[in-house]
Amino acid sequence: MNFWHTVAAITWKDTISEMRTKEIVSSVLVFTLLVIVIFNFSFGATQQTMKVVAPGILWVTFAFAGVLSLNRLFVPEKEQDCLEGLMVCPVSREAIYTGKMLGSLIFMLVVEVIALPIFTLLFNLPVLSLQIVTITVLATFGFVVVGTLFSAVAINTKAREMVLPILFFPIISPVIISAVKATEISLAGGSWSSLVPWLPMIAAFDAIFFVVSFLIFSYVIEE
Amino acid sequence: MNTNNILRNGLLILSFVLMTVSLYLVFVFVPTEREMGIVQRIFYLMVPTGWLALLSFVIIFIGSILYLVKRARKWDILAMSSAEIGIVFTTLALIVGSIWARPIWGVWWTWEPRLTATLVLWFIYLAYFMVRSLATDPERGARYSAIVGIIGLVDIPIIALSTTLWRGIHPGPVIFSGGLAPPMLLTLMVSLAAFTSFYFLLLQYKVSAKNDESLINTLRESIKSR
Amino acid sequence: MDQKDKASRDLAIKARDLAKPFGSYLALNGIDLDIQRGECVTIFGPNGAGKTTLIKVLATIMNPSAGTVWIDGINLKDNIEEVRRRIGIVTHQTFLYNNLTTYENLDFYCRMFGVPNRKERLLEVIETVGMTSRLHDRVGTLSRGMQQRVSFARSQLHKPPIMLLDEPETGLDQDSISMLWKMLKGSTEDRRTIVLTTHNLEQGLEFADRILIMDQGKIVYEGLRQSLDLPGLKKAYKSSTGALP
């Protein structure tokens, strides 16, 4: 059976389930907005300080939102042992990984699509530019490629809500560093070429960890 | 005497000799650095601890891959043992780095690239242990920590590169580019050799202790089920 | 070798020396199995005897740490996807997504198994378990018994010649249990191979051609249906496991 056919079936299944409950997207979105507002309180919200701290706020918010949504990713697979149901299907484990990963990417992007304009509005900063959208898509992809793998690990641990961030944050630190730096440069009006060390860094991270996670995912779910 | 004992005694003697020589070189032989003064001698401890932090992770990586492919406990024991040694040296590297930072930059902690990367590495070590102890059964713990061992090693160069681009104040990578005076280079090399030999000695001890432990557990289990 | 290969090709399930440790305890400890095509085998045993682990190994959910399994003569290590196509599994977990409807769940599994004419097959199967009227209800809103019926339908989508059932009656009310047994018996008629684990000695015995009893990762008793009645089975259970059934 066709690899992408399986991937599409899994992503589709996760997406309609999410569209029905809106469990992940709604809670993560509310969380994101709250974090943005609270950061506003803690930094005094003058235009001057905001310019300096906004990139950090944006990426801390998205990283935490990512953990929150990734924590839920394998919960439906655990209820009624659905993951075992998937494992007895004649499909490759790599397809299961890719399908789950794409589903998670969609949820995160939906949250960000709503959060970015609000961010623009509340911070009075031009966050909604092509440059920043590119950075966001690349960095979010980086989050979910390792996040999906670690989410599958965390689901079988005690205190999984705590395990995921402990695994996730150190590994994605290069993505956070690069995304913050690139956003900073972009907000200061830098050109595409001034984003150079950072965007390729995120892209390289994405490519490397997609391949590695793709290859080792089967070792996570196979007993 | 079996090969394990020969290996262990050989490493013990080698480590002892190299350590003694390196102490002599560091405190007596090598000249004091002109600008940084006496404190520069910490360098001969800082580089080897940092090196062992990395070397341990490379061994974890190798053990992890072999464990996932072959599912033989001995590879997990190798990775786990290396991790236990590695986190000690990573912690030491952070402490020594702080002690170095104090007189040079006037602060205990600075987000200097290599120090920052070492800190992230320390957190990855922590993740390695946490996921093992929080997994729902020991076999899962071994598998999950192997995943962290593989992902972690792949991430190290990327972390190092990103922190380097992010910040940049340090005596630069002068070590192998001929920037170091010959007596200093010699001292550094001997220290590195001494610590590396010491690492393998510790690894040998750890692995055999863990092997004994798992043997005892198996025996106990077989007595219980009788 | 030809002789041996032919023999294993004629068997629906063949296993040799299966072992699977959990920590330092062996959930499977040297299991050998030979199950003929069309045979119904019931496995009894106390909790923790290794029944579920055995089913999971046969279903390719778990890899044994030692030993080999052949399904329809195919070594699991050679072509695991082909093996998966030939197995249908029902456990006390339904493998269904609560937020999806019956239809969406079954359609999803049709896609995963590459079932041709999905819609037709799906409607046909749902008819056999009498759940057509609940086709567009979310699975989460169905009763436990109904969910198990949908789960049974799920396992039938790809027409597996081998059925593995791990305590399928757990958590069901009396009506659903008798419905389940009826469905199972229906599926024995088309000469399928069935491996069942259960705590229900009476039903399990009535259903089987052959009885196995497991304890501490080993098969401790084996008997044919013809040579056993319920009291005989209870006696065998007690003497081989030391526990009351």
Side-chain angles (χ1 to χ4, degrees):
Chain A
M1 169 139 105
N2 187 320
F3 177 85
W4 289 107
H5 186 91
T6 313
V7 171
I10 294 172
T11 308
W12 173 242
K13 177 247 331 161
D14 279 358
T15 313
I16 45 175
S17 173
E18 176 61 27
M19 271 171 14
R20 202 156 285 159
T21 60
K22 301 180 188 66
E23 231 171 57
I24 297 177
V25 169
S26 64
S27 56
V28 172
L29 189 64
V30 171
F31 171 84
T32 305
L33 298 181
L34 277 173
V35 172
I36 293 176
V37 172
I38 285 172
F39 268 122
N40 251 302
F41 294 155
S42 40
F43 288 111
T46 65
Q47 194 59 32
Q48 229 43 39
T49 31
M50 270 313 143
K51 256 216 161 87
V52 181
V53 296
I57 294 178
L58 187 69
W59 287 102
V60 168
T61 310
F62 283 170
F64 277 100
V67 168
L68 207 61
S69 101
L70 287 163
N71 248 330
R72 302 290 308 168
L73 188 61
F74 277 87
V75 172
E77 308 292 348
K78 203 66 194 167
E79 287 166 6
Q80 294 298 331
D81 278 351
C82 290
L83 192 59
E84 291 189 353
L86 284 182
M87 287 173 66
V88 295
C89 296
V91 299
S92 71
R93 278 63 191 118
E94 290 78 15
I96 299 177
Y97 166 78
T98 313
K100 293 300 284 180
M101 187 272 284
L102 288 179
S104 167
L105 182 66
I106 292 172
F107 305 157
M108 276 298 289
L109 288 179
V110 168
V111 170
E112 288 164 350
V113 158
I114 305 171
L116 276 179
I118 296 176
F119 203 87
T120 311
L121 196 79
L122 292 179
F123 285 62
N124 198 19
L125 284 170
V127 183
L128 214 57
S129 67
L130 185 59
Q131 282 181 343
I132 290 182
V133 169
T134 311
I135 298 165
T136 306
V137 172
L138 279 178
T140 307
F141 189 74
F143 287 175
V144 297
V145 287
V146 280
T148 304
L149 183 77
F150 286 153
S151 177
V153 167
I155 194 79
N156 279 323
T157 58
K158 301 160 219 160
R160 69 183 152 81
E161 282 84 1
M162 270 136 65
V163 170
L164 182 60
I166 288 169
L167 293 173
F168 183 68
F169 285 129
I171 300 295
I172 59 147
S173 57
V175 177
I176 297 192
I177 291 175
S178 308
V180 169
K181 276 284 171 186
T183 309
E184 211 172 277
I185 294 166
S186 172
L187 283 179
S191 64
W192 282 96
S193 60
S194 64
L195 295 176
V196 153
W198 306 113
L199 276 187
M201 173 92 78
I202 308 176
F205 181 99
D206 292 359
I208 291 168
F209 280 101
F210 178 58
V211 173
V212 175
S213 307
F214 185 87
L215 293 177
I216 64 178
F217 182 73
S218 66
Y219 295 107
V220 174
I221 60 171
E222 280 189 355
E223 303 277 310
Chain B
M1 217 160 56
N2 62 26
T3 43
N4 263 350
N5 277 333
I6 297 171
L7 181 70
R8 181 183 298 180
N9 290 335
L11 281 170
L12 191 63
I13 294 163
L14 183 68
S15 305
F16 183 75
V17 171
L18 282 172
M19 278 290 177
T20 317
V21 173
S22 95
L23 281 177
Y24 169 78
L25 290 176
V26 170
F27 288 105
V28 181
F29 167 76
V30 79
T32 304
E33 210 264 348
R34 204 173 338 125
E35 278 168 38
M36 291 182 256
I38 192 87
V39 72
Q40 188 267 346
R41 286 171 205 255
I42 296 174
F43 176 77
Y44 306 110
L45 179 60
M46 186 169 74
V47 176
T49 49
W51 154 245
L52 287 193
L54 275 179
L55 176 66
S56 308
F57 218 103
V58 172
I59 302 291
I60 296 175
F61 177 75
I62 295 168
S64 298
I65 288 189
L66 289 171
Y67 176 71
L68 287 185
V69 174
K70 306 214 180 273
R71 296 287 164 108
R73 246 188 85 70
K74 63 174 177 180
W75 297 118
D76 181 48
I77 287 176
L78 176 71
M80 177 68 177
S81 307
S82 185
E84 284 174 1
I85 303 166
I87 194 165
V88 172
F89 281 104
T90 313
T91 313
L92 265 180
L94 288 174
I95 295 171
V96 174
S98 282
I99 296 173
W100 163 278
R102 178 70 197 169
I104 308 277
W105 294 297
V107 284
W108 285 111
W109 180 261
T110 164
W111 294 96
E112 183 274 330
R114 258 164 282 171
L115 216 47
T116 310
T118 309
L119 183 63
V120 177
L121 179 61
W122 188 79
F123 278 113
I124 296 176
Y125 270 108
L126 219 57
Y128 181 91
F129 291 110
M130 300 233 18
V131 79
R132 183 185 292 268
S133 63
L134 288 173
T136 41
D137 72 66
E139 192 272 338
R140 273 191 180 142
R143 248 180 323 125
Y144 293 169
S145 55
I147 300 281
V148 177
I150 292 167
I151 294 277
L153 187 87
V154 175
D155 210 20
I156 290 173
I158 308 178
I159 293 170
L161 183 62
S162 63
T163 51
T164 310
L165 288 172
W166 177 58
R167 281 285 143 100
I169 35 156
H170 203 260
V174 288
I175 302 159
F176 295 106
S177 55
L180 217 56
M184 292 182 175
L185 189 62
L186 175 73
T187 309
L188 180 65
M189 286 301 154
V190 174
S191 306
L192 277 173
F195 273 86
T196 307
S197 156
F198 184 50
Y199 163 80
F200 282 108
L201 178 68
L202 289 177
L203 188 65
Q204 214 278 330
Y205 269 107
K206 274 265 167 217
V207 167
S208 67
K210 282 194 191 296
N211 277 331
D212 293 348
E213 201 180 307
S214 88
L215 180 66
I216 289 168
N217 278 337
T218 321
L219 289 177
R220 185 194 292 151
E221 209 49 52
S222 71
I223 292 168
K224 242 195 261 167
S225 66
R226 197 153 303 162
Chain C
M1 128 177 194
D2 285 335
Q3 202 72 39
K4 217 175 128 195
D5 263 22
K6 194 182 169 307
S8 60
R9 227 175 292 135
D10 286 340
L11 291 170
I13 300 173
K14 177 178 165 182
R16 287 290 173 272
D17 297 322
L18 291 185
K20 179 76 185 174
F22 285 114
S24 41
Y25 151 84
L26 282 169
L28 296 182
N29 187 1
I31 298 271
D32 291 336
L33 267 184
D34 286 304
I35 296 175
Q36 304 293 331
R37 292 228 168 90
E39 196 180 16
C40 296
V41 176
T42 304
I43 304 174
F44 298 108
N47 287 325
K51 304 186 300 282
T52 297
T53 309
L54 178 60
I55 294 282
K56 282 188 177 174
V57 167
L58 296 179
T60 75
I61 294 171
M62 271 185 189
N63 295 314
S65 61
T68 319
V69 179
W70 294 264
I71 302 281
D72 272 351
I74 306 167
N75 187 328
L76 242 58
K77 290 191 180 98
D78 294 341
N79 192 349
I80 201 158
E81 293 196 2
E82 185 49 43
V83 167
R84 287 179 179 135
R85 261 182 255 281
R86 297 180 188 213
I87 290 176
I89 179 167
V90 179
T91 75
H92 48 278
Q93 301 282 21
T94 61
F95 300 171
L96 299 173
Y97 296 92
N98 285 340
N99 291 323
L100 302 185
T101 65
T102 305
Y103 181 87
E104 287 161 345
N105 264 297
L106 295 180
D107 188 54
F108 172 67
Y109 279 105
C110 278
R111 291 171 77 177
M112 297 303 277
F113 278 95
V115 174
N117 302 328
R118 303 210 292 270
K119 191 162 182 189
E120 217 169 285
R121 175 67 187 152
L122 192 160
L123 293 174
E124 183 187 340
V125 169
I126 204 72
E127 181 79 48
T128 62
V129 298
M131 288 291 294
T132 312
S133 61
R134 309 303 291 269
L135 201 55
H136 295 289
D137 288 5
R138 272 196 229 179
V139 166
T141 64
L142 303 178
S143 72
R144 179 79 183 80
M146 286 175 170
Q147 288 186 15
Q148 194 63 326
R149 275 149 74 180
V150 177
S151 180
F152 188 80
R154 169 195 55 74
S155 73
Q156 300 304 305
L157 291 167
H158 56 294
K159 303 181 181 161
I162 298 170
M163 289 290 299
L164 303 173
L165 301 127
D166 186 23
E167 299 180 13
E169 82 282 14
T170 304
L172 294 185
D173 57 79
Q174 212 49 54
D175 285 352
S176 309
I177 291 178
S178 46
M179 174 92 193
L180 185 79
W181 288 118
K182 222 186 285 163
M183 290 189 302
L184 279 181
K185 283 194 192 112
S187 61
T188 57
E189 274 150 26
D190 36 310
R191 291 271 306 149
R192 284 203 287 184
T193 313
I194 298 183
V195 180
L196 165 77
T197 75
T198 180
H199 285 295
N200 187 332
L201 292 192
E202 199 182 337
Q203 293 282 16
L205 177 68
E206 189 187 324
F207 178 75
D209 300 322
R210 189 149 58 105
I211 309 288
L212 300 177
I213 298 177
M214 280 182 78
D215 192 31
Q216 296 188 353
K218 290 188 170 130
I219 293 173
V220 290
Y221 175 87
E222 188 174 347
L224 290 176
R225 166 77 184 94
Q226 297 98 300
S227 59
L228 273 173
D229 53 5
L230 193 57
L233 176 62
K234 280 184 178 157
K235 224 171 106 194
Y237 190 100
K238 201 170 171 218
S239 65
S240 57
T241 67
L244 283 173

Short mmCIF file of all heavy atoms in Angstrom, two decimals, chain A residues 95-133:
data_model
loop_
_atom_site.label_atom_id
_atom_site.label_comp_id
_atom_site.label_asym_id
_atom_site.label_seq_id
_atom_site.Cartn_x
_atom_site.Cartn_y
_atom_site.Cartn_z
N ALA A 95 5.20 5.54 8.26
CA ALA A 95 3.97 6.21 7.82
C ALA A 95 3.17 6.68 9.03
O ALA A 95 2.56 7.76 9.00
CB ALA A 95 3.14 5.26 6.96
N ILE A 96 3.15 5.88 10.09
CA ILE A 96 2.43 6.29 11.30
C ILE A 96 3.08 7.57 11.85
O ILE A 96 2.39 8.54 12.17
CB ILE A 96 2.45 5.17 12.37
CG1 ILE A 96 1.76 3.92 11.83
CG2 ILE A 96 1.79 5.65 13.66
CD1 ILE A 96 1.78 2.73 12.77
N TYR A 97 4.41 7.57 11.91
CA TYR A 97 5.11 8.76 12.39
C TYR A 97 4.77 9.98 11.55
O TYR A 97 4.39 11.04 12.07
CB TYR A 97 6.63 8.52 12.38
CG TYR A 97 7.42 9.80 12.53
CD1 TYR A 97 7.56 10.39 13.78
CD2 TYR A 97 7.99 10.43 11.42
CE1 TYR A 97 8.25 11.58 13.92
CE2 TYR A 97 8.68 11.61 11.56
CZ TYR A 97 8.81 12.18 12.81
OH TYR A 97 9.48 13.36 12.94
N THR A 98 4.89 9.83 10.24
CA THR A 98 4.68 10.98 9.36
C THR A 98 3.24 11.49 9.47
O THR A 98 3.01 12.70 9.51
CB THR A 98 5.03 10.60 7.91
OG1 THR A 98 6.28 9.93 7.90
CG2 THR A 98 5.13 11.83 7.04
N GLY A 99 2.29 10.58 9.54
CA GLY A 99 0.89 10.98 9.66
C GLY A 99 0.63 11.76 10.93
O GLY A 99 -0.02 12.81 10.92
N LYS A 100 1.13 11.24 12.05
CA LYS A 100 0.94 11.93 13.33
C LYS A 100 1.63 13.29 13.31
O LYS A 100 1.13 14.28 13.81
CB LYS A 100 1.49 11.09 14.49
CG LYS A 100 0.77 9.81 14.77
CD LYS A 100 -0.68 9.99 15.14
CE LYS A 100 -0.90 10.49 16.55
NZ LYS A 100 -2.36 10.63 16.83
N MET A 101 2.84 13.30 12.72
CA MET A 101 3.62 14.53 12.70
C MET A 101 2.89 15.61 11.90
O MET A 101 2.79 16.76 12.34
CB MET A 101 5.00 14.20 12.10
CG MET A 101 6.02 15.29 12.16
SD MET A 101 5.92 16.35 10.73
CE MET A 101 6.69 15.30 9.51
N LEU A 102 2.36 15.23 10.74
CA LEU A 102 1.66 16.22 9.91
C LEU A 102 0.40 16.73 10.62
O LEU A 102 0.08 17.92 10.54
CB LEU A 102 1.32 15.63 8.54
CG LEU A 102 2.52 15.42 7.61
CD1 LEU A 102 2.06 14.81 6.30
CD2 LEU A 102 3.25 16.74 7.36
N GLY A 103 -0.30 15.84 11.30
CA GLY A 103 -1.48 16.27 12.05
C GLY A 103 -1.10 17.33 13.07
O GLY A 103 -1.72 18.39 13.17
N SER A 104 -0.04 17.03 13.81
CA SER A 104 0.42 17.97 14.83
C SER A 104 0.87 19.30 14.22
O SER A 104 0.62 20.37 14.78
CB SER A 104 1.57 17.30 15.59
OG SER A 104 2.24 18.21 16.35
N LEU A 105 1.51 19.21 13.05
CA LEU A 105 1.94 20.43 12.35
C LEU A 105 0.72 21.29 12.01
O LEU A 105 0.73 22.51 12.22
CB LEU A 105 2.70 20.05 11.08
CG LEU A 105 3.25 21.21 10.25
CD1 LEU A 105 4.34 21.96 11.02
CD2 LEU A 105 3.82 20.72 8.92
N ILE A 106 -0.33 20.64 11.53
CA ILE A 106 -1.54 21.40 11.18
C ILE A 106 -2.12 22.11 12.42
O ILE A 106 -2.41 23.30 12.37
CB ILE A 106 -2.61 20.46 10.55
CG1 ILE A 106 -2.12 19.98 9.19
CG2 ILE A 106 -3.96 21.17 10.41
CD1 ILE A 106 -2.99 18.92 8.56
N PHE A 107 -2.22 21.39 13.54
CA PHE A 107 -2.79 22.01 14.76
C PHE A 107 -1.97 23.22 15.17
O PHE A 107 -2.51 24.28 15.49
CB PHE A 107 -2.84 21.03 15.93
CG PHE A 107 -3.57 19.75 15.64
CD1 PHE A 107 -3.30 18.60 16.37
CD2 PHE A 107 -4.51 19.69 14.63
CE1 PHE A 107 -3.96 17.42 16.09
CE2 PHE A 107 -5.19 18.50 14.34
CZ PHE A 107 -4.90 17.37 15.08
N MET A 108 -0.65 23.06 15.18
CA MET A 108 0.23 24.16 15.60
C MET A 108 0.09 25.35 14.66
O MET A 108 0.02 26.50 15.10
CB MET A 108 1.69 23.69 15.61
CG MET A 108 2.13 22.97 16.86
SD MET A 108 2.03 24.00 18.32
CE MET A 108 3.37 25.15 18.02
N LEU A 109 0.06 25.07 13.36
CA LEU A 109 -0.03 26.17 12.40
C LEU A 109 -1.36 26.91 12.53
O LEU A 109 -1.39 28.13 12.41
CB LEU A 109 0.19 25.66 10.97
CG LEU A 109 1.63 25.24 10.65
CD1 LEU A 109 1.74 24.72 9.23
CD2 LEU A 109 2.62 26.40 10.85
N VAL A 110 -2.42 26.17 12.81
CA VAL A 110 -3.72 26.83 13.00
C VAL A 110 -3.64 27.80 14.17
O VAL A 110 -4.06 28.96 14.08
CB VAL A 110 -4.84 25.78 13.23
CG1 VAL A 110 -6.11 26.45 13.73
CG2 VAL A 110 -5.11 25.01 11.96
N VAL A 111 -3.05 27.33 15.28
CA VAL A 111 -2.90 28.20 16.45
C VAL A 111 -2.07 29.43 16.08
O VAL A 111 -2.44 30.57 16.41
CB VAL A 111 -2.23 27.43 17.61
CG1 VAL A 111 -1.85 28.37 18.73
CG2 VAL A 111 -3.15 26.34 18.12
N GLU A 112 -0.99 29.22 15.35
CA GLU A 112 -0.11 30.35 15.03
C GLU A 112 -0.75 31.33 14.05
O GLU A 112 -0.54 32.54 14.15
CB GLU A 112 1.22 29.81 14.49
CG GLU A 112 2.04 29.17 15.61
CD GLU A 112 3.16 28.28 15.11
OE1 GLU A 112 3.22 27.99 13.90
OE2 GLU A 112 3.99 27.87 15.93
N VAL A 113 -1.53 30.79 13.14
CA VAL A 113 -2.21 31.65 12.18
C VAL A 113 -3.15 32.62 12.91
O VAL A 113 -3.31 33.77 12.53
CB VAL A 113 -3.00 30.79 11.15
CG1 VAL A 113 -4.12 31.57 10.50
CG2 VAL A 113 -2.05 30.27 10.09
N ILE A 114 -3.75 32.14 13.99
CA ILE A 114 -4.62 33.04 14.77
C ILE A 114 -3.79 33.92 15.70
O ILE A 114 -4.09 35.10 15.88
CB ILE A 114 -5.65 32.21 15.58
CG1 ILE A 114 -6.42 31.30 14.62
CG2 ILE A 114 -6.62 33.13 16.33
CD1 ILE A 114 -7.29 30.28 15.31
N ALA A 115 -2.73 33.35 16.27
CA ALA A 115 -1.97 34.10 17.28
C ALA A 115 -1.14 35.23 16.67
O ALA A 115 -1.02 36.30 17.28
CB ALA A 115 -1.06 33.15 18.05
N LEU A 116 -0.60 35.02 15.47
CA LEU A 116 0.28 36.06 14.90
C LEU A 116 -0.42 37.40 14.69
O LEU A 116 0.12 38.45 15.09
CB LEU A 116 0.93 35.56 13.60
CG LEU A 116 2.21 34.72 13.78
CD1 LEU A 116 2.74 34.28 12.42
CD2 LEU A 116 3.30 35.49 14.53
N PRO A 117 -1.61 37.44 14.07
CA PRO A 117 -2.29 38.74 13.92
C PRO A 117 -2.59 39.39 15.28
O PRO A 117 -2.46 40.61 15.43
CB PRO A 117 -3.59 38.39 13.21
CG PRO A 117 -3.38 37.07 12.61
CD PRO A 117 -2.36 36.36 13.43
N ILE A 118 -2.97 38.57 16.26
CA ILE A 118 -3.26 39.13 17.59
C ILE A 118 -1.98 39.71 18.20
O ILE A 118 -1.99 40.77 18.81
CB ILE A 118 -3.86 38.02 18.49
CG1 ILE A 118 -5.20 37.58 17.89
CG2 ILE A 118 -4.04 38.52 19.92
CD1 ILE A 118 -5.85 36.44 18.62
N PHE A 119 -0.90 39.00 17.99
CA PHE A 119 0.40 39.47 18.45
C PHE A 119 0.71 40.83 17.82
O PHE A 119 1.10 41.78 18.50
CB PHE A 119 1.47 38.45 18.05
CG PHE A 119 2.70 38.50 18.88
CD1 PHE A 119 2.77 37.77 20.05
CD2 PHE A 119 3.80 39.26 18.50
CE1 PHE A 119 3.91 37.80 20.83
CE2 PHE A 119 4.94 39.29 19.27
CZ PHE A 119 4.99 38.56 20.44
N THR A 120 0.49 40.91 16.51
CA THR A 120 0.70 42.17 15.79
C THR A 120 -0.11 43.30 16.41
O THR A 120 0.40 44.40 16.65
CB THR A 120 0.27 42.00 14.31
OG1 THR A 120 0.86 40.82 13.81
CG2 THR A 120 0.67 43.19 13.47
N LEU A 121 -1.35 42.97 16.69
CA LEU A 121 -2.28 43.96 17.23
C LEU A 121 -1.87 44.43 18.63
O LEU A 121 -1.73 45.61 18.90
CB LEU A 121 -3.67 43.31 17.28
CG LEU A 121 -4.86 44.23 17.44
CD1 LEU A 121 -5.17 44.85 16.08
CD2 LEU A 121 -6.06 43.44 17.94
N LEU A 122 -1.63 43.46 19.52
CA LEU A 122 -1.37 43.79 20.91
C LEU A 122 0.00 44.45 21.10
O LEU A 122 0.17 45.29 21.96
CB LEU A 122 -1.45 42.54 21.79
CG LEU A 122 -2.83 41.90 21.96
CD1 LEU A 122 -2.73 40.66 22.83
CD2 LEU A 122 -3.81 42.88 22.56
N PHE A 123 0.97 44.05 20.32
CA PHE A 123 2.33 44.57 20.50
C PHE A 123 2.65 45.72 19.56
O PHE A 123 3.70 46.31 19.65
CB PHE A 123 3.35 43.45 20.32
CG PHE A 123 3.42 42.50 21.48
CD1 PHE A 123 2.32 41.75 21.85
CD2 PHE A 123 4.59 42.37 22.22
CE1 PHE A 123 2.37 40.89 22.92
CE2 PHE A 123 4.64 41.51 23.29
CZ PHE A 123 3.54 40.76 23.64
N ASN A 124 1.71 45.94 18.66
CA ASN A 124 1.91 47.01 17.70
C ASN A 124 3.23 46.87 16.94
O ASN A 124 3.98 47.81 16.77
CB ASN A 124 1.84 48.37 18.42
CG ASN A 124 1.60 49.50 17.44
OD1 ASN A 124 1.15 49.26 16.33
ND2 ASN A 124 1.93 50.70 17.85
N LEU A 125 3.49 45.61 16.55
CA LEU A 125 4.73 45.33 15.80
C LEU A 125 4.37 44.57 14.52
O LEU A 125 3.43 43.78 14.52
CB LEU A 125 5.67 44.46 16.65
CG LEU A 125 6.42 45.15 17.77
CD1 LEU A 125 7.10 44.10 18.64
CD2 LEU A 125 7.43 46.13 17.24
N PRO A 126 5.11 44.79 13.46
CA PRO A 126 4.77 44.13 12.19
C PRO A 126 5.21 42.66 12.17
O PRO A 126 6.12 42.28 11.44
CB PRO A 126 5.55 44.95 11.16
CG PRO A 126 6.73 45.45 11.91
CD PRO A 126 6.28 45.67 13.32
N VAL A 127 4.55 41.83 12.98
CA VAL A 127 4.94 40.43 13.06
C VAL A 127 4.41 39.64 11.87
O VAL A 127 4.89 38.56 11.56
CB VAL A 127 4.42 39.82 14.38
CG1 VAL A 127 4.87 38.40 14.54
CG2 VAL A 127 4.93 40.64 15.55
N LEU A 128 3.40 40.20 11.21
CA LEU A 128 2.76 39.46 10.14
C LEU A 128 3.42 39.74 8.78
O LEU A 128 2.78 40.19 7.86
CB LEU A 128 1.28 39.84 10.10
CG LEU A 128 0.34 38.72 9.69
CD1 LEU A 128 0.48 37.53 10.60
CD2 LEU A 128 -1.10 39.22 9.66
N SER A 129 4.72 39.46 8.69
CA SER A 129 5.40 39.68 7.42
C SER A 129 5.76 38.34 6.82
O SER A 129 5.75 37.31 7.50
CB SER A 129 6.67 40.49 7.65
OG SER A 129 7.58 39.72 8.40
N LEU A 130 6.10 38.33 5.55
CA LEU A 130 6.45 37.09 4.88
C LEU A 130 7.67 36.44 5.56
O LEU A 130 7.72 35.22 5.74
CB LEU A 130 6.75 37.36 3.40
CG LEU A 130 7.02 36.11 2.57
CD1 LEU A 130 5.82 35.17 2.61
CD2 LEU A 130 7.36 36.47 1.13
N GLN A 131 8.61 37.31 5.97
CA GLN A 131 9.81 36.78 6.63
C GLN A 131 9.43 36.02 7.90
O GLN A 131 9.88 34.89 8.12
CB GLN A 131 10.75 37.93 7.00
CG GLN A 131 11.55 38.44 5.83
CD GLN A 131 12.49 39.55 6.24
OE1 GLN A 131 12.34 40.15 7.30
NE2 GLN A 131 13.46 39.82 5.39
N ILE A 132 8.62 36.65 8.72
CA ILE A 132 8.32 36.01 10.01
C ILE A 132 7.43 34.79 9.83
O ILE A 132 7.57 33.79 10.54
CB ILE A 132 7.73 37.05 11.00
CG1 ILE A 132 8.87 37.99 11.39
CG2 ILE A 132 7.14 36.38 12.23
CD1 ILE A 132 8.53 39.03 12.39
N VAL A 133 6.55 34.84 8.85
CA VAL A 133 5.74 33.65 8.57
C VAL A 133 6.65 32.48 8.15
O VAL A 133 6.48 31.35 8.60
CB VAL A 133 4.67 33.95 7.50
CG1 VAL A 133 4.01 32.66 7.02
CG2 VAL A 133 3.61 34.89 8.06
#
